[in-house]
């Protein structure tokens, strides 16, 4: 360890003492025990591009995203294209681009809002506490999570889990729509207000929207049945609403049962 890295270590220890427990820049570190730091590493990849590139107007970034989506034909191609996409600054604070998880040939797609801290670390959607609750609710209606395709409106975690801005949603939406078109599900289950408002282009509260079947038409004309419910993170904070969410899962099971 040279003198510089010792200074970095002291600085990071100072941050930890002040209550910081994660980084969102180019330096990453791991807190092992209270007040000890290891793994001070400078991230090589995803170096933030010049401001001029990041200052693309969001209309221009949406146009670029649309153009990419016209060119890709598989989830794998889309994943690579999104990882290389420069039009959304969220990418430069995130550790991973979190695309969909599960079976891309599934008849059912679940869509949440954005990766949280654990998803960002793991590079996989819904693996934290919300994901564990979601897995249990799916299992309770006889659906194995690995048989579904699970993704988010945004592939990058907003710093500190803040709500995504309208511009961030608009830039990422073409990628989600392309995922939907490639997976071509018969059923889409939306988790929370941000997810359903973004995809279905409405502004109603989730309490009004949940539990009612809607329809989503893909760019290629195929239609999917859409049902919205509360986000699992909200259910963890507000367990009294679990009964309503459970009713939504049963609605989904009934509809799928009748049509399969
Ligand atoms: N919340 C979400 O909306 N998505 C995740 O992947 C995790 C938590």
């Amino acid at each position: 360890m040279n003198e510089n890295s010792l200074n970095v270590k002291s600085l990071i220890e100072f941050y930890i003492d002040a209550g910081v427990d994660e980084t969102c820049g180019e330096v990453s570190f791991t807190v092992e025990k209270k007040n000890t730091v290891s793994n001070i590493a400078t991230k090589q990849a995803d170096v933030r591009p010049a401001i001029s590139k990041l200052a693309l107007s969001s209309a221009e970034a949406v146009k670029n995203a649309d153009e990419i989506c016209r060119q890709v034909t598989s989830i794998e191609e889309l994943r690579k294209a999104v990882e290389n996409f420069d039009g959304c600054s969220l990418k430069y604070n995130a550790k991973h681009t979190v695309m969909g998880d599960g079976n891309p040939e599934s008849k059912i797609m679940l869509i949440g809002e954005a990766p949280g801290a654990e998803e960002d670390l793991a590079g996989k959607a819904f693996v934290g506490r919300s994901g564990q609750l979601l897995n249990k609710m799916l299992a309770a209606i006889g659906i194995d999570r690995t048989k579904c395709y699970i993704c988010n409106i945004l592939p990058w975690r907003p710093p500190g889990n803040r709500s995504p801005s309208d511009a961030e949603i608009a830039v990422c939406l073409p990628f989600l729509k392309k995922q939907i078109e490639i997976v071509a599900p018969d059923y889409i289950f939306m988790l929370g207000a941000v997810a359903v408002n973004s995809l279905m282009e409405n502004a109603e509260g989730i309490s009004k929207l949940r539990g009612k079947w809607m329809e989503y038409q893909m760019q290629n004309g195929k239609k999917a049945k859409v049902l919205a419910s509360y986000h699992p993170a909200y259910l963890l904070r507000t367990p009294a609403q679990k009964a309503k969410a459970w009713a939504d899962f049963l609605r989904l099971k009934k509809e799928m049962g009748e049509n399969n």
Side-chain angles (χ1 to χ4, degrees):
M1 212 178 255
N2 62 28
E3 198 182 317
N4 263 354
S5 58
L6 275 178
N7 288 344
V8 173
K9 189 168 186 285
S10 313
L11 180 62
I12 293 174
E13 280 169 353
F14 166 76
Y15 285 145
I16 291 169
D17 283 342
V20 173
D21 60 6
E22 71 177 296
T23 55
C24 53
E26 287 167 20
V27 173
S28 64
F29 65 87
T30 309
V31 181
E32 275 184 340
K33 292 188 234 128
K34 195 172 171 344
N35 292 339
T36 64
V37 190
S38 69
N39 270 353
I40 299 173
T42 303
K43 221 170 130 189
Q44 296 302 321
D46 294 346
V47 173
R48 204 179 166 97
I51 292 295
S52 56
K53 206 154 189 194
L54 280 178
L56 282 180
S57 72
S58 67
E60 205 178 336
V62 172
K63 225 170 92 192
N64 291 351
D66 280 336
E67 183 51 38
I68 288 168
C69 291
R70 268 192 288 280
Q71 291 171 15
V72 301
T73 57
S74 69
I75 291 290
E76 227 12 74
E77 279 175 21
L78 183 63
R79 176 190 303 278
K80 285 189 191 128
V82 176
E83 280 169 358
N84 290 324
F85 181 67
D86 274 341
C88 180
S89 60
L90 286 179
K91 175 176 153 184
Y92 299 100
N93 283 322
K95 294 183 176 69
H96 283 106
T97 298
V98 182
M99 298 291 284
D101 176 53
N103 176 10
E105 287 176 9
S106 181
K107 284 189 168 170
I108 169 147
M109 189 157 172
L110 292 104
I111 305 176
E113 178 176 330
E118 284 161 281
E119 289 76 18
D120 183 38
L121 261 183
K124 193 165 154 178
F126 280 104
V127 292
R129 286 185 67 221
S130 294
Q132 283 157 21
L133 176 58
L134 179 61
N135 294 350
K136 281 188 199 148
M137 296 187 87
L138 285 170
I141 56 163
I143 298 180
D144 177 349
R145 170 206 166 110
T146 62
K147 305 265 179 331
C148 310
Y149 188 82
I150 305 184
C151 64
N152 285 300
I153 298 287
L154 301 172
W156 297 290
R157 179 192 182 212
N161 295 347
R162 67 159 167 76
S163 296
S165 69
D166 290 352
E168 288 160 352
I169 292 172
V171 171
C172 296
L173 212 46
F175 300 132
L176 174 74
K177 289 184 173 175
K178 188 70 195 188
Q179 278 185 97
I180 298 177
E181 201 176 301
I182 295 171
V183 175
D186 294 333
Y187 306 95
I188 301 178
F189 197 70
M190 311 287 320
L191 300 162
V194 172
V196 65
N197 290 157
S198 307
L199 183 69
M200 302 303 287
E201 293 176 27
N202 56 33
E204 284 228 72
I206 187 68
S207 308
K208 289 238 170 77
L209 290 170
R210 59 150 286 276
K212 296 178 191 139
W213 284 102
M214 297 170 266
E215 191 173 77
Y216 173 73
Q217 181 156 16
M218 298 166 215
Q219 278 139 347
N220 62 7
K222 180 178 158 77
K223 290 178 182 160
K225 291 185 170 176
V226 176
L227 191 65
S229 190
Y230 292 119
H231 193 287
Y234 172 72
L235 296 176
L236 288 168
R237 293 193 303 272
T238 325
Q241 298 287 27
K242 278 188 184 166
K244 287 183 188 153
W246 178 235
D248 298 334
F249 276 77
L250 290 176
R251 256 180 211 110
L252 173 68
K253 178 185 162 75
K254 183 162 181 268
E255 187 71 23
M256 286 180 70
E258 280 170 7
N259 290 295
N260 281 295

